[in-house]
Structure formats: structure tokens, C-alpha cells
């Protein structure tokens, strides 16, 4: 029986791989696997502005470009992530605003569908995936609707290193390209919470 592909699965796990105190970690920055632990993909952070998602076979899946305004008020400026496929086409985006950028990510899929990934409470470790209310101002992207299309639940798998694990569950109605945007946005969420080279906010 053929196993479903990376973005055909309704649930995957994005997590930081375990590491040793005694050796420098040289593996991927994040892994993507099935709920039962089958490895599916790897994420490597090239630098603070570029991450690459590849299948475990090494096949290129998507590049994540981070763009934000630099300067004295950088922490207040919006941050945008652009998802680019192997052919160089933009296949989705994610954006965050405000001082606490992990409160909500505004997503746009390859086909232009707008979604929100919204944190439940300021200290919550669960985010809900929703569509914007039809009455929402498209220029401000404010106010997600109540219908839940998925959820992201975060846990710490290693207290010493603070390694993070994200369980990503999506509605069966989402297609492959939409799930690609959601999984890539979870990588962005991790980058906002735990930037390379630092622990970042929880």
C-alpha cells in the first residue's frame, strides 16, 4: 500500500531533533514526520533570512524567505515569509505583526486562500487555523472566523535544550498546496518563537 505524501497527511509532527551536550549538532534544524514517527522531511536554516525544506530523499520542496524591516524599531515592524518552490514560483506567504508576533500569523496559499493561525491566549501553546470572517477588512486581515480548519499544539520535548515539538492537525478538506502553506507557516512560527542562535520567547 502506497504511503501518503508529505502534504497529503492530515497530521504531521514538526520538531527539533534531539542532540547531545557533548557533540556539536550537525543535523537538520527541524524534522517533519508522521504521527507514528516515519521521517518525511528536513528543515535547514541557512541563515536568519533563509530556510529550506527538503524531503528525506533530498528532494527540494520549498524555500522560506524571511523579510522584515531593519532599524531601531525592527521588533515592531511586520515580518513576512515567502514560500518558493523548486521552479522559483511563490506558492504561499505568512505574515506577523506587532510586538508579540507569535499571537497570529496571516497566511495566503498558492491559490490565494487566506487563513489565520491564531494563538489561544497570550501564554497558550495551541494555535487554531481559521479563515477570516467574510466581513473582515482585506487590507487589515483582522478578525478570524470561528470555524476551525486545524490546530497546532506545541510541547517541549527536552527541558535542558528547550527543544520544541509541534503537532500539526488539518481538516480533511484542505488540499495539498494548502497543507504545504500550513506546514511552512509552522516553520515560520518556530523561527519567531525560537530564532536561530537564541532561545527566543516561548
Amino acid at each position: 500500500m502506497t504511503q501518503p505524501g508529505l502534504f497529503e497527511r492530515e497530521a504531521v509532527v514538526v520538531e527539533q531533533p534531539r542532540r547531545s551536550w557533548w557533540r556539536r549538532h550537525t543535523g537538520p534544524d527541524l524534522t517533519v514526520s508522521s504521527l507514528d514517527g516515519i521521517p518525511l522531511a528536513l528543515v535547514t536554516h541557512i541563515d536568519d533570512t533563509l530556510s529550506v525544506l527538503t524531503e528525506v530523499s533530498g528532494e527540494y520542496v520549498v524555500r522560506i524567505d524571511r523579510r522584515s524591516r531593519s532599524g531601531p524599531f525592527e521588533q515592531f515592524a511586520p515580518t513576512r515569509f515567502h514560500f518558493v518552490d523548486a521552479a522559483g514560483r511563490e506558492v504561499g506567504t505568512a505574515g506577523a505583526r506587532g510586538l508579540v508576533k507569535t499571537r497570529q500569523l496571516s497566511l495566503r496559499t498558492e491559490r490565494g486562500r487566506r487563513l489565520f493561525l491564531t494563538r489561544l491566549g497570550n501564554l497558550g501553546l495551541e494555535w487554531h487555523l481559521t479563515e477570516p470572517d467574510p466581513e473582515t477588512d482585506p487590507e487589515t486581515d483582522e478578525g478570524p472566523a470561528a470555524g476551525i480548519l486545524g490546530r497546532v499544539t506545541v510541547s517541549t520535548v527536552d527541558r535542558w535544550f528547550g527543544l520544541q515539538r509541534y503537532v500539526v492537525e488539518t481538516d480533511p478538506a484542505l488540499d495539498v498546496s494548502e497543507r504545504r502553506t500550513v506546514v511552512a507557516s509552522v516553520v515560520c512560527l518556530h523561527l519567531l518563537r525560537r530564532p536561530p542562535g537564541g532561545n527566543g520567547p516561548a
Side-chain angles (χ1 to χ4, degrees):
M1 183 176 175
T2 304
Q3 292 290 327
L6 172 57
F7 303 120
E8 293 173 340
R9 297 170 183 266
E10 293 173 19
V12 295
V13 176
V14 179
E15 66 182 323
Q16 292 179 277
R18 303 273 181 166
R19 54 202 66 187
S20 167
W21 278 107
W22 317 114
R23 292 192 299 270
R24 182 175 179 270
H25 179 68
T26 57
D29 295 285
L30 295 169
T31 61
V32 184
S33 62
S34 65
L35 291 181
D36 53 359
I38 298 171
L40 302 171
L42 311 172
V43 178
T44 303
H45 302 318
I46 306 302
D47 56 35
D48 289 346
T49 64
L50 176 63
S51 300
V52 177
L53 174 66
T54 59
E55 293 193 14
V56 289
S57 63
E59 184 178 350
Y60 181 99
V61 178
V62 69
R63 183 179 84 230
I64 301 172
D65 294 328
R66 177 176 181 161
R67 303 174 191 172
S68 57
R69 193 182 312 143
S70 59
F73 301 104
E74 179 180 355
Q75 63 184 13
F76 298 101
T79 298
R80 297 289 294 177
F81 297 91
H82 295 258
F83 310 143
V84 180
D85 69 7
R89 297 179 303 117
E90 184 171 283
V91 292
T93 63
R97 292 185 304 223
L99 182 59
V100 183
K101 291 184 172 63
T102 58
R103 283 181 179 162
Q104 185 178 83
L105 271 67
S106 175
L107 318 182
R108 190 175 296 273
T109 69
E110 181 179 8
R111 298 178 184 174
R113 186 177 187 181
R114 292 168 52 241
L115 300 167
F116 287 115
L117 196 57
T118 306
R119 188 176 194 171
L120 300 185
N122 291 337
L123 300 177
L125 292 176
E126 183 171 305
W127 282 256
H128 280 178
L129 181 70
T130 59
E131 284 191 287
D133 189 288
E135 303 300 319
T136 297
D137 182 346
E139 295 302 316
T140 61
D141 272 355
E142 292 178 352
I148 299 173
L149 296 172
R151 56 177 44 84
V152 175
T153 308
V154 185
S155 59
T156 300
V157 295
D158 186 313
R159 296 285 172 188
W160 289 103
F161 289 100
L163 302 180
Q164 302 291 285
R165 183 177 194 261
Y166 302 79
V167 177
V168 185
E169 303 168 278
T170 54
D171 191 280
L174 266 62
D175 65 25
V176 169
S177 66
E178 291 165 341
R179 287 201 182 100
R180 175 179 57 197
T181 298
V182 174
V183 171
S185 73
V186 172
V187 175
C188 301
L189 178 62
H190 178 75
L191 288 169
L192 291 169
R193 296 182 70 241
R194 307 277 172 172
N199 289 329

